[in-house]
């Protein structure tokens, strides 16, 4: 298991990195954009009244990513939402290394094609610094989730952090990973 290399990492090393080097004219391999981490998070606002929903969100994120999820706490109080600083209101997982490549592989090739009426991902999720965020409305698109055992349909946010300096480079990197971007 120690010398296992994820399929997407092998594809990145053998084809994507050389193509990006040629396309953008990089002089050293360290300039080539690469994936740094993927953060998957779920906000569970109803967790204030029903703690079981938060536990369900943690277990679902753990199933989907293969890594234990942690509960996130509110950073500040908001009176209109009856929210106090320190209340547990969400769950998140940060993936790096082999787990990150495996999750991205499953997201692109298995989960996204299972979305109803899927026409591609909007390319407006870039932040100006080479990072991409997308939202998923239903966690049931992942095959790890048993449809009969879920308590509530919930969405999740996925942030893909890259070492790219510009959005154009990050777009090229993700497009070469076959991210299904919508054609403008």
């Amino acid at each position: 298991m120690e010398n296992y290399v994820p399929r997407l990492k092998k594809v990145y090393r053998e084809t994507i990195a050389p193509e990006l080097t040629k396309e953008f004219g990089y002089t050293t391999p360290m300039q080539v954009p690469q994936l740094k981490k993927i953060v998957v998070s779920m906000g569970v606002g109803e967790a204030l009244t029903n703690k079981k929903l938060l536990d369900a969100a943690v277990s679902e994120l753990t199933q989907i990513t293969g890594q234990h999820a942690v509960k996130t706490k509110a950073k500040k109080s908001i009176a209109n939402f009856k929210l106090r600083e320190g209340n547990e209101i969400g769950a998140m997982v940060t993936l790096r290394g082999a787990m990150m490549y495996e999750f991205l592989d499953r997201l692109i090739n298995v989960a996204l094609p299972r979305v109803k009426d899927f026409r591609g991902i909007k390319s407006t999720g870039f932040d100006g610094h080479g990072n991409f965020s997308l939202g998923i409305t239903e966690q049931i698109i992942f095959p790890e989730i048993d449809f009969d055992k879920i308590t509530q349909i919930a969405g999740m946010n996925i942030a893909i952090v890259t070492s790219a300096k510009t959005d154009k480079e990050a777009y090229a990197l993700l497009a070469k990973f076959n991210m299904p971007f919508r054609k403008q």
Side-chain angles (χ1 to χ4, degrees):
M1 191 71 180
E2 284 182 23
N3 48 2
Y4 167 72
V5 178
R7 186 184 71 82
L8 276 188
K9 188 170 189 174
K10 192 185 248 183
V11 169
Y12 172 77
R13 283 186 189 155
E14 293 172 2
T15 59
I16 295 174
E19 286 174 13
L20 287 173
T21 303
K22 200 163 104 180
E23 185 177 332
F24 290 100
Y26 298 124
T27 53
T28 101
M30 297 302 286
Q31 289 178 309
V32 180
Q34 60 185 356
L35 295 176
K36 291 289 185 196
K37 65 182 176 180
I38 296 178
V39 180
V40 184
S41 60
M42 286 175 101
V44 188
E46 299 86 37
L48 294 172
T49 55
N50 188 353
K51 291 288 184 201
K52 287 183 181 173
L53 291 177
L54 185 61
D55 294 335
V58 169
S59 70
E60 287 168 4
L61 267 183
T62 301
Q63 279 181 320
I64 289 169
T65 60
Q67 186 171 309
H68 184 69
V70 295
K71 295 176 181 174
T72 56
K73 298 178 186 236
K75 289 189 169 121
K76 58 170 138 177
S77 302
I78 303 172
N80 290 348
F81 297 126
K82 297 183 175 84
L83 181 64
R84 299 289 164 256
E85 185 178 338
N87 285 359
E88 293 178 334
I89 55 164
M92 68 169 283
V93 177
T94 302
L95 301 168
R96 289 183 171 88
M99 299 284 271
M100 169 185 67
Y101 283 103
E102 288 295 331
F103 176 77
L104 187 65
D105 198 0
R106 280 183 299 143
L107 176 71
I108 293 170
N109 298 314
V110 179
L112 288 177
R114 291 176 59 157
V115 174
K116 284 185 277 188
D117 300 330
F118 185 66
R119 291 189 194 94
I121 298 172
K122 290 182 184 176
S123 59
T124 56
F126 290 97
D127 67 350
H129 303 289
N131 305 317
F132 182 69
S133 299
L134 73 131
I136 293 177
T137 54
E138 299 175 333
Q139 82 273 35
I140 56 174
I141 63 168
F142 288 95
E144 295 86 2
I145 299 294
D146 186 5
F147 186 74
D148 299 328
K149 293 181 181 169
I150 60 168
T151 55
Q152 183 180 23
I153 300 280
M156 62 180 63
N157 301 317
I158 300 172
I160 301 171
V161 180
T162 69
S163 63
K165 299 287 183 235
T166 65
D167 289 347
K168 184 179 177 190
E169 293 172 327
Y171 181 87
L173 173 67
L174 292 175
K176 294 204 186 303
F177 274 123
N178 293 330
M179 182 70 84
F181 288 113
R182 190 177 294 174
K183 304 285 185 259
Q184 263 67 351

